């Protein structure tokens, strides 16, 4: 009797265990499928869209690496069945819309990271922004990692930005803003107010000096902004000579290096500290004519708030940034680290993607490497034509030898 009862209990437990395991397995199995209805909406909503001409939607599942791409014509709604999971989704295409009663065509783009797709049927929405076209200076190269000495010590101060005229007209660098984002690409928070669709939140701003026509940049030519404009090879033979840089970043109230022969960048808002792993976005922008830097900061400084979750506790946080209207910005590059990237900190109208040097946090192989814009052709006089699609993922080569080291 007892043996029979014990055997029955064992069989019952085994059945319950099997059922539980089967249920868990089915829920997480790679065969689980979800029917997704995805609506694409152009923002702001007052844009009168007449036609969604061509839209390309790309899905990438973050755990399995599964990818698929879908094409839409004359529609802004996609119905698709996907393996259940967590996806990064990008959208690129073009629309026709009414602009003061004139039918106009524009490129649009949208990004959503970490989209959870599970269950039988779900509906999601992705906002699309019109892409900004630039006829101005662009960021060709960012060398932010620093170098290592022959003894293996980390060496900083040899970082630089290379800014290039990718047009066929002479442009002037005078007054151009170089901006570091307030938000980090490896730390996504629910910031309030959420104004990322219309503005770039600046954590640090510096400005090229000049009266308006002091610093011409010819078609295909570049200028270099150095962290420290000295010959770094005198201190580290593995580094570079930046004593001939066009401009230097100089922090007046710090023990900073000054090369009297190189013009100083104007410090507009906070100190720009270039992180050796990336983590930030950098932008070029121009203020409206007649606006002073003091007025810009006074009129556009704002406080943002968010809740920081750590160890199960929630801490209310805030910060101060300067909001730069997207219309002022001529170029952006989002930088990050491959295994800790969380989000693009700009509107997709400015940048659809991101680029990197480090594979992981603390990657020691990052030193002496840069991100550099791809060359897609040559002008008649042999100048490089640089790729600029407002998507840093496809526009930049990452982890390459800095050009000034050649």
């Amino acid at each position: 009797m007892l043996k029979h009862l014990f055997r029955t209990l064992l069989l019952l437990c085994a059945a319950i265990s099997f059922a539980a395991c089967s249920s868990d397995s089915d829920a997480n199995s790679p065969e689980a499928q979800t029917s997704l209805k995805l609506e694409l909406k152009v923002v702001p909503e007052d844009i009168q869209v007449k036609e969604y001409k061509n839209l390309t939607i790309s899905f990438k599942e973050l755990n399995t690496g599964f990818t698929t791409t879908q094409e839409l014509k004359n529609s802004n709604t996609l119905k698709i069945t996907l393996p259940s999971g967590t996806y990064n989704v990008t959208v690129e295409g073009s629309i026709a819309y009414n602009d003061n009663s004139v039918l106009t065509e524009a490129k649009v783009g949208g990004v959503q990271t970490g989209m959870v797709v599970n269950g039988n049927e779900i509906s999601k929405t992705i906002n699309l922004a019109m892409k900004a076209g630039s006829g101005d200076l662009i960021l060709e190269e960012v060398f932010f990692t620093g170098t290592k000495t022959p003894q293996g010590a980390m060496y900083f101060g040899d970082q630089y930005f290379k800014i290039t005229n990718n047009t066929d007209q002479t442009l002037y660098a005078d007054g151009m803003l170089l901006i570091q984002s307030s938000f980090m690409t490896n730390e996504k928070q629910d910031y309030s107010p959420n104004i990322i669709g219309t503005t770039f939140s600046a954590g640090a701003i510096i400005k090229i000096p000049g009266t308006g026509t002091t610093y011409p940049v010819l078609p295909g030519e570049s200028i270099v902004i150095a962290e420290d404009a000295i010959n770094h090879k005198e201190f580290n033979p593995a580094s570079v000579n930046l004593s001939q840089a066009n401009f230097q970043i100089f922090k007046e109230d710090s023990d900073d290096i000054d090369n009297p022969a190189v013009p100083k960048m104007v410090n507009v808002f906070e100190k720009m500290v270039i992180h050796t792993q990336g983590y930030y976005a950098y932008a070029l922008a121009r203020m409206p004519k007649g606006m002073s830097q003091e007025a810009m900061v006074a009129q556009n400084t704002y406080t943002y708030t968010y809740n920081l979750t750590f160890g199960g506790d929630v801490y209310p946080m805030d910060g101060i940034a300067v909001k730069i209207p997207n219309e002022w910005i001529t170029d952006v590059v989002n930088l990050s680290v491959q295994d800790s990237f969380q989000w693009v900190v700009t509107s997709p109208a400015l940048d659809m993607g991101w680029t990197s040097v480090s594979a992981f946090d603390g990657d020691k192989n990052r030193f002496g490497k840069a991100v550099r814009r791809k060359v897609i052709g040559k002008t008649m006089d042999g100048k490089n034509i640089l790729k600029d699609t407002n998507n840093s993922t496809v526009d930049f080569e990452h982890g390459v030898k800095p050009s000034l080291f050649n």
Side-chain angles (χ1 to χ4, degrees):
M1 181 75 176
L2 289 173
K3 286 184 179 180
H4 177 72
L5 178 60
F6 182 72
R7 183 171 178 271
T8 302
L9 288 172
L10 285 177
L11 290 173
L12 181 60
C13 289
I16 293 172
S17 175
F18 175 77
C21 291
S22 298
S23 176
D24 289 345
S25 176
D26 290 344
N28 297 309
S29 70
E31 291 79 18
Q33 302 282 308
T34 298
S35 177
L36 169 67
K37 179 181 178 182
L38 184 64
E39 183 181 6
L40 309 172
K41 295 175 60 178
V42 173
V43 292
E45 295 181 354
D46 58 358
I47 295 176
Q48 301 175 30
V49 178
K50 293 299 182 183
E51 182 183 1
Y52 291 86
K53 299 180 73 67
N54 294 286
L55 297 173
T56 300
I57 306 100
S58 299
F59 299 85
K60 182 176 182 179
E61 209 286 317
L62 302 182
N63 299 301
T64 64
F66 168 81
T67 60
T68 186
T69 299
Q70 301 292 314
E71 304 285 340
L72 273 181
K73 292 185 177 180
N74 303 321
S75 175
N76 67 324
T77 303
L78 173 69
K79 293 182 178 179
I80 184 174
T81 300
L82 294 170
S84 301
T86 303
Y87 287 82
N88 283 350
V89 187
T90 61
V91 185
E92 293 190 85
S94 60
I95 62 168
Y97 71 102
N98 272 339
D99 185 7
N100 294 323
S101 300
V102 177
L103 193 62
T104 305
E105 187 169 326
K107 292 182 179 180
V108 294
V111 178
Q112 186 161 330
T113 57
M115 176 188 286
V116 177
V117 176
N118 60 17
N120 293 326
E121 295 183 3
I122 61 169
S123 296
K124 298 283 187 178
T125 300
I126 293 180
N127 290 332
L128 304 180
M130 288 194 292
K131 289 192 172 185
S134 174
D136 210 323
L137 302 174
I138 62 173
L139 288 156
E140 176 183 349
E141 181 180 348
V142 185
F143 173 55
F144 56 91
T145 60
T147 50
K148 273 197 169 184
T149 67
Q151 294 76 30
M154 293 183 290
Y155 181 87
F156 309 125
D158 51 3
Q159 301 147 308
Y160 66 82
F161 298 88
K162 187 177 181 182
I163 297 171
T164 301
N165 181 354
N166 202 37
T167 77
D168 59 359
Q169 304 291 320
T170 297
L171 301 173
Y172 292 90
D174 306 49
M176 177 68 77
L177 303 178
L178 175 60
I179 308 166
Q180 180 177 275
S181 65
S182 181
F183 306 145
M184 302 176 72
T185 57
N186 68 325
E187 184 183 325
K188 186 176 183 180
Q189 302 290 350
D190 186 14
Y191 295 106
S192 179
N194 183 354
I195 54 176
I196 195 171
T198 57
T199 61
F200 182 97
S201 292
I205 307 172
I206 55 180
K207 185 182 75 170
I208 295 176
T211 60
T213 56
T214 310
Y215 301 108
V217 185
L218 300 179
E221 296 295 327
S222 304
I223 58 174
V224 172
I225 300 173
E227 170 64 26
D228 291 322
I230 62 173
N231 183 2
H232 295 276
K233 296 176 72 68
E234 295 179 357
F235 305 93
N236 176 17
S239 189
V240 64
N241 183 359
L242 293 178
S243 62
Q244 301 299 313
N246 301 91
F247 303 97
Q248 62 179 324
I249 300 172
F250 184 77
K251 305 170 184 69
E252 290 90 348
D253 57 349
S254 304
D255 186 18
D256 208 352
I257 298 172
D258 179 19
N259 181 347
V262 177
K264 298 181 182 70
M265 295 289 288
V266 179
N267 294 307
V268 177
F269 178 73
E270 298 296 344
K271 294 178 182 178
M272 183 172 290
V273 179
I274 305 169
H275 202 291
T276 64
Q277 295 194 103
Y279 290 149
Y280 293 94
Y282 290 92
L284 296 177
R286 290 193 188 271
M287 295 181 292
K289 288 185 178 180
M291 174 175 279
S292 68
Q293 66 189 50
E294 293 80 10
M296 177 193 69
V297 173
Q299 294 171 17
N300 293 282
T301 299
Y302 80 107
T303 299
Y304 58 85
T305 61
Y306 63 100
N307 289 325
L308 177 65
T309 303
F310 183 78
D313 295 321
V314 178
Y315 302 92
M317 306 291 288
D318 60 46
I320 296 175
V322 176
K323 50 187 178 183
I324 306 296
N326 288 348
E327 297 78 33
W328 297 7
I329 294 176
T330 69
D331 194 36
V332 169
V333 55
N334 278 269
L335 303 175
S336 197
V337 173
Q338 292 176 27
D339 74 345
S340 60
F341 167 78
Q342 292 190 19
W343 67 320
V344 170
V345 298
T346 61
S347 165
L350 302 176
D351 193 1
M352 286 277 297
W354 58 283
T355 186
S356 65
V357 169
S358 300
F360 52 87
D361 288 329
D363 186 354
K364 295 181 180 179
N365 292 319
R366 72 184 186 274
F367 297 105
K369 296 178 182 177
V371 298
R372 190 167 71 235
R373 203 175 285 272
K374 295 175 182 177
V375 177
I376 58 174
K378 296 281 187 179
T379 63
M380 294 292 289
D381 56 354
K383 301 293 185 182
N384 289 336
I385 300 173
L386 304 175
K387 189 168 187 177
D388 183 18
T389 67
N390 292 350
N391 186 338
S392 292
T393 303
V394 299
D395 288 348
F396 282 83
E397 298 178 274
H398 59 272
V400 296
K401 183 178 180 181
S403 63
L404 299 188
F405 282 58
N406 295 327

